[in-house]
């Protein structure tokens, strides 16, 4: 019989995520998947899962799960307090869970997204080859809610044989490397230097689609409408307000505003941990 | 045709002539340059995502610019007939804005042979080109919060079928029961880029 986990409380917002649905953008389906892919991969490795297994992504912690059967879990991403059966544990470590135990995540002290992997993976039915919830495309399992149960799969690898995966702490002001975007010529020559020389602040509009930033406006050199064109994660799209929007995992497949620059794929995990009100900087790579 | 950088892992081909998008798409699909991982056509552009470990922007740009898109026939795809009930809530407004009767709007919409140019906005939402210029109208000034699945709509130079219920600002002229998107189907989208489409009542 397949083990199940019960969602006692989902916290602010929690979803099932894996590495998403690459290669389907031409039919209007974005990659989606974990916003912080490195943390998802690490959580899976720590419990002896293939990196591609589905786990839980939760915003700012606050998640409570009940495990009817014994399990091995790991929590990565934004640091938060972790208790299992009333005992405290650390992030980035395999954690044994006894039958009937509850996992309680406190509020994240830094960063935005925590990942909870369970040995065997979250085994909800895949949609188009992935178990990720695409919040914009409306694909994959529903957003977690109290009382929901999540099946645990059985496909595993050997235990990794480590107690802890040391990770650098999340920076207070992340520096995200950018390359030129396709519509950089739509902006004044000063706009790109403004982007990389000024600080920006994440507004309260932060979700899996993107981060709306506040800061010096990026001025356009030409006006006019842009027909829809394909976007990639990390794209910095600039609406008429001049305030850039940084696209994350569930970004639209096509966008309608010019993209001035693109955050490097290697820095997207850091970008996914930016919380509302936090400062970010951009640097030309 | 220009090839623009899109970060370290993608390039955007920008066309002066939008009809060349499907041609280059077909050419690159038939004979993909080394390192290409995904092609995403849009209205006047084609995104090429690549593996930076296997190729780089300049090499890809050279390959793309050497190709002739004029001689490439867009991929042969079946013609799909979409049955429509032309009773959309915006039909009267569309007729008034176009200066013709509702019957004439329906006739002109039915008379067109459309080609799916690209998908975007939502899974399976295909932008179909070939709309009669007399029906090129702006979107509604205020988008609806919920457009029912199967709505047949027009906006600008495009017509489309809403695959699922979603918000939307297009002018709704009819509806179809034909599922243009079904995740249980392979492929899930009926109106892949390059497909020809006819609407019939």
């Amino acid at each position: 019989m397949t083990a199940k986990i019960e969602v006692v409380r989902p916290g602010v917002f929690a979803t099932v995520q894996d590495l998403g649905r690459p290669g389907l953008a031409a039919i209007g389906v974005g990659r989606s998947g974990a916003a912080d892919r490195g943390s998802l991969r690490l959580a899976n490795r720590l419990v002896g899962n293939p990196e591609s297994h589905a786990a839980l992504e939760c915003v700012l912690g606050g998640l409570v799960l009940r495990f009817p059967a014994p399990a091995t879990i790991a929590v990565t991403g934004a640091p938060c307090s972790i208790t299992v059966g009333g005992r405290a544990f650390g992030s980035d470590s395999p954690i044994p869970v006894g039958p009937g135990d509850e996992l309680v995540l406190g509020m994240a002290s830094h960063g935005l997204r925590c990942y909870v992997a369970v040995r065997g993976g979250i085994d909800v039915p895949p949609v188009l080859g992935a178990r990720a919830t695409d919040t914009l495309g409306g694909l994959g399992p529903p957003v977690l809610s109290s009382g929901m149960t999540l099946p645990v799969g059985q496909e595993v690898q050997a235990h990794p044989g480590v107690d802890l995966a040391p990770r650098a702490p999340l920076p207070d002001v992340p520096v995200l490397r950018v390359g030129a975007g396709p519509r950089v010529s739509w902006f004044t020559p000063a706009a790109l230097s403004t982007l990389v020389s000024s600080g920006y602040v994440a507004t309260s509009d932060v979700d899996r689609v993107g981060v709306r930033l506040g800061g010096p406006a990026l001025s356009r050199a030409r006006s006019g409408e842009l027909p829809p064109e394909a976007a990639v994660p990390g794209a910095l799209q600039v609406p008429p307000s001049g305030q850039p929007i940084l696209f994350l995992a569930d970004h639209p497949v096509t966008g309608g505003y010019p993209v001035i620059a693109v955050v490097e794929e290697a820095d997207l995990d850091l970008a996914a941990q930016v919380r509302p009100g936090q400062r970010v900087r951009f640097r030309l790579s | 045709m220009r090839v623009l950088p899109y970060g370290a892992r993608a390039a955007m081909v920008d066309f002066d002539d939008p009809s060349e998008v499907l041609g280059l798409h077909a050419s690159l699909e038939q004979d993909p340059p080394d390192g290409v991982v995904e092609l995403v056509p849009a209205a006047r552009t084609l995104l090429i995502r690549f593996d930076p470990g296997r190729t780089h922007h300049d090499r890809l740009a050279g390959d793309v610019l050497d190709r002739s898109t004029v001689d490439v026939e867009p991929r042969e795809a079946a013609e799909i007939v979409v049955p429509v009930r032309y009773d959309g809530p915006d039909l009267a407004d569309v007729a008034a804005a176009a200066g013709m009767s509702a019957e004439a709007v329906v006739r002109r919409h039915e008379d067109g042979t459309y080609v799916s140019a690209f998908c975007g906005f939502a899974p399976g939402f295909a932008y179909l080109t070939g709309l009669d210029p007399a029906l090129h109208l702006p979107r509604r000034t205020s988008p609806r919060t919920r457009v029912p699945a199967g709505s047949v709509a027009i906006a600008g130079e495009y017509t489309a079928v809403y695959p699922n219920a979603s918000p939307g600002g297009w002018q709704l002229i009819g509806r179809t029961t034909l599922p243009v998107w079904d995740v249980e189907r392979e492929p899930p989208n009926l109106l892949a880029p390059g497909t020809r489409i006819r609407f019939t009542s």
Side-chain angles (χ1 to χ4, degrees):
Chain A
M1 195 187 83
T2 311
K4 296 230 181 203
I5 303 170
E6 188 188 335
V7 178
V8 180
R9 283 208 308 273
V12 177
F13 183 82
T15 52
V16 177
Q17 296 296 339
D18 57 14
L19 294 176
R21 305 177 181 82
L24 298 177
I27 64 170
V29 174
R31 183 174 71 178
S32 188
D36 175 351
R37 299 163 74 82
S39 290
L40 174 94
R41 288 188 154 109
L42 176 63
N44 273 324
R45 289 199 303 275
L46 283 166
V47 297
N49 284 343
E51 287 188 334
S52 56
H53 266 16
L56 303 180
E57 176 183 286
C58 74
V59 171
L60 289 171
L63 178 73
V64 181
L65 303 175
R66 184 178 294 129
F67 292 78
T72 304
I73 65 160
V75 182
T76 62
C80 61
S81 70
I82 302 162
T83 62
V84 173
R87 290 200 299 147
F89 289 88
S91 296
D92 306 328
S93 297
I95 301 171
V97 180
D101 277 356
E102 274 192 4
L103 163 72
V104 179
L105 299 188
M107 294 306 280
S109 54
H110 309 280
L112 188 66
R113 295 182 165 96
C114 309
Y115 293 83
V116 180
V118 184
R119 184 165 168 81
I122 304 295
D123 194 25
V124 295
V127 174
L128 299 178
R131 295 175 170 84
T133 296
D134 180 341
T135 58
L136 191 72
L139 298 171
V143 172
L144 265 54
S145 58
S146 299
M148 184 186 279
T149 57
L150 300 165
V152 177
Q154 297 181 349
E155 187 201 338
V156 292
Q157 296 171 339
H159 281 285
V162 295
D163 294 333
L164 175 67
R167 297 193 89 189
L170 290 167
D172 288 335
V173 181
V175 179
L176 307 175
R177 289 165 292 175
V178 296
R183 301 299 172 190
V184 66
S185 68
W186 281 48
F187 297 85
T188 61
L192 195 59
S193 49
T194 300
L195 177 73
V196 298
S197 62
S198 320
Y200 282 82
V201 177
T203 66
S204 57
D205 286 335
V206 174
D207 59 15
R208 289 184 41 83
V209 174
V211 180
R212 196 181 287 266
L213 296 159
L218 303 173
S219 308
R220 290 259 290 261
R222 56 175 287 187
S223 52
E225 292 275 299
L226 185 69
E229 61 186 29
V232 302
L236 281 159
Q237 181 177 271
V238 185
S241 66
Q243 307 285 304
I245 299 166
L246 167 56
F247 278 165
L248 297 180
D250 290 356
H251 71 84
V253 169
T254 55
Y257 297 125
V259 170
I260 188 172
V262 187
V263 173
E264 284 191 9
E265 178 104 2
D267 289 349
L268 285 178
D269 291 350
L270 213 49
Q273 292 294 356
V274 172
R275 53 161 74 190
Q278 190 176 357
R279 276 160 36 81
V280 293
R281 297 194 72 90
F282 297 100
R283 198 184 68 184
L284 267 183
S285 54
Chain B
M1 186 162 77
R2 285 165 299 281
V3 185
L4 309 168
Y6 202 147
R9 295 167 172 258
M12 180 81 94
V13 189
D14 193 20
F15 297 88
D16 297 316
D17 179 356
S19 67
E20 291 184 349
V21 179
L22 284 172
L24 183 68
H25 187 202
S27 168
L28 291 172
E29 268 193 336
Q30 283 155 23
D31 179 20
D34 188 41
V36 168
V37 296
E38 187 170 29
L39 301 166
V40 191
R44 279 157 186 73
T45 56
L46 179 69
L47 178 79
I48 306 174
R49 289 187 46 245
F50 59 86
D51 175 355
R54 288 169 59 197
T55 189
H56 53 81
H57 179 86
D58 293 351
R59 193 162 119 204
L60 207 55
D63 183 310
V64 165
L65 293 170
D66 280 347
R67 289 180 189 236
S68 162
T69 57
V70 186
D71 302 332
V72 180
E73 282 293 308
R75 176 180 48 201
E76 272 300 313
E79 181 174 88
I80 299 217
V81 176
V82 179
V84 185
R85 205 180 156 97
Y86 284 100
D87 60 357
D90 298 328
L91 185 59
D93 287 351
V94 166
M100 61 180 82
S101 66
E103 293 72 26
V105 170
V106 170
R107 196 168 58 243
R108 285 183 185 246
H109 191 258
E110 273 188 300
D111 280 351
T113 299
Y114 303 94
V115 176
S116 172
F118 64 101
C119 293
F121 176 63
F125 187 101
Y127 290 74
L128 311 180
T129 56
L131 182 67
D132 190 318
L135 299 180
H136 291 191
L137 298 171
R139 291 157 201 236
R140 286 167 51 83
T141 45
S142 174
R144 287 186 171 82
T145 52
R146 191 173 182 280
V147 171
S151 294
V152 175
I154 60 173
E157 63 194 284
Y158 301 108
T159 186
V161 180
Y162 279 81
N164 283 303
S166 69
W170 290 33
Q171 312 272 3
L172 310 184
I173 60 171
R175 57 197 156 104
T176 181
T177 53
L178 186 69
V180 297
W181 175 257
D182 178 359
V183 289
E184 305 295 331
R185 188 172 56 200
E186 177 50 41
N189 63 317
L190 202 58
L191 311 179
T195 309
R196 283 175 300 127
I197 294 105
R198 280 193 304 114
F199 292 99
T200 180
S201 56

